[in-house]
Amino acid sequence: MSVTGELLLYALVAGGLVFWLRSILGTRHGEERDHSDALMGMGGDVAEDNTATEAPMISNEEQIKTVAGSKDGVTGIANTAAETGLFKIAEADKDFDIKFFFEAIQDVFVMVVEGFGKGDRELLQDLLADDVYKAFEGAIDAREKTGETLSNEIHSINKAEIIEAELNGKKANVTVRFIADEVSVTRDKGGEITAGHPDHTTKMRDIWTFSRDIKSRDPRWFVVETRGDFEGDNETIPNTD
């Protein structure tokens, strides 16, 4: 394949990923396509295999209890109050899927952190609430005025733990603590490194709140708040609390 062809293929894959995340973060509506199909932007339903044995349906509440009871792995629920809040959200929104939600928010976390470093305003505007986006845009504007550049790369997410969940009327809010390893490098207008190191990872601990109007036809969950987990934390992302 030619270089031009390879670049076009990569662009299609990246575009498919963004479209998928923007469209269905945290929810399932009807028959879901395989993730590989979504990444490639392919349409059409998957043909049913009537010879396959269907797995027993697991309720949203049972899935939440399973995640809450798990002590290992990346995802978790920190306390019974958060678990109770998730039960209320799942009862009011039958399309809420806790496992799919966890998958999507981790992808969004990476996309927002790295997109902020790149100054990708279009991407950020589609994933962040208006006031949060304005804070991110202001930080990007200030960086660009001084000629600084920022490179953020998430190497791994070690933990994505729900610490709060509530249903306030028709508004569902889920707050997640992310613990991740990242490489963050800031350079001045001359290209000299002023913060970070390209070969050293640092620990990032951030708390983000995702929100959705469960009565809305828009299935997206937007990031409505970002903040560091403790004073002196690695301030890669603007605090918007």
Side-chain angles (χ1 to χ4, degrees), residues 27-45:
T27 59
R28 295 194 178 195
H29 295 272
E31 292 294 326
E32 293 299 316
R33 291 177 292 149
D34 181 80
H35 287 189
S36 60
D37 287 345
L39 291 174
M40 294 301 295
M42 296 169 61
D45 296 328

Side-chain angles (χ1 to χ4, degrees), residues 156-222:
S156 64
I157 296 176
N158 304 317
K159 193 71 175 178
E161 182 179 46
I162 294 175
I163 59 175
E164 296 176 14
E166 64 172 357
L167 181 64
N168 186 7
K170 60 181 182 178
K171 186 73 70 176
N173 296 310
V174 179
T175 301
V176 183
R177 175 186 290 113
F178 292 99
I179 302 175
D181 291 327
E182 72 161 345
V183 172
S184 181
V185 180
T186 302
R187 291 180 169 86
D188 62 21
K189 61 182 179 180
E192 295 295 322
I193 295 176
T194 59
H197 193 289
D199 298 323
H200 295 166
T201 61
T202 56
K203 191 70 68 179
M204 179 182 182
R205 295 173 61 99
D206 253 31
I207 294 176
W208 292 18
T209 298
F210 297 82
S211 183
R212 177 177 179 265
D213 181 347
I214 63 171
K215 299 300 182 182
S216 172
R217 285 188 165 186
D218 188 342
R220 290 177 296 175
W221 289 73
F222 291 94

Side-chain angles (χ1 to χ4, degrees), residues 5-156:
E6 290 180 351
L7 290 175
L8 178 59
L9 177 59
Y10 295 151
L12 287 172
V13 172
L17 174 60
V18 172
F19 177 79
W20 171 62
L21 288 170
R22 290 174 182 173
S23 301
I24 52 176
L25 171 57
T27 59
R28 295 194 178 195
H29 295 272
E31 292 294 326
E32 293 299 316
R33 291 177 292 149
D34 181 80
H35 287 189
S36 60
D37 287 345
L39 291 174
M40 294 301 295
M42 296 169 61
D45 296 328
V46 178
E48 287 189 14
D49 182 0
N50 294 325
T51 63
T53 302
E54 292 187 5
M57 293 294 292
I58 300 176
S59 69
N60 292 335
E61 289 76 10
E62 289 174 317
Q63 290 188 36
I64 292 169
K65 288 179 181 178
T66 299
V67 174
S70 175
K71 302 302 179 183
D72 300 320
V74 173
T75 59
I77 301 172
N79 50 63
T80 54
E83 185 179 354
T84 300
L86 289 169
F87 286 149
K88 292 179 180 178
I89 293 172
E91 182 179 4
D93 181 4
K94 300 303 182 183
D95 289 320
F96 180 74
D97 185 315
I98 186 67
K99 292 184 178 180
F100 192 69
F101 179 83
F102 269 126
E103 292 173 4
I105 61 171
Q106 290 178 75
D107 288 336
V108 168
F109 177 76
V110 174
M111 293 175 72
V112 169
V113 172
E114 297 184 354
F116 173 66
K118 296 173 184 176
D120 190 341
R121 292 175 174 83
E122 183 179 359
L123 171 68
L124 296 174
Q125 196 166 21
D126 276 343
L127 299 174
L128 308 178
D130 290 343
D131 55 342
V132 177
Y133 172 73
K134 289 177 182 177
F136 276 62
E137 183 183 38
I140 294 171
D141 289 343
R143 193 170 71 215
E144 292 177 346
K145 286 180 181 178
T146 63
E148 283 188 337
T149 60
L150 174 64
S151 174
N152 288 337
E153 182 182 353
I154 299 296
H155 276 221
S156 64

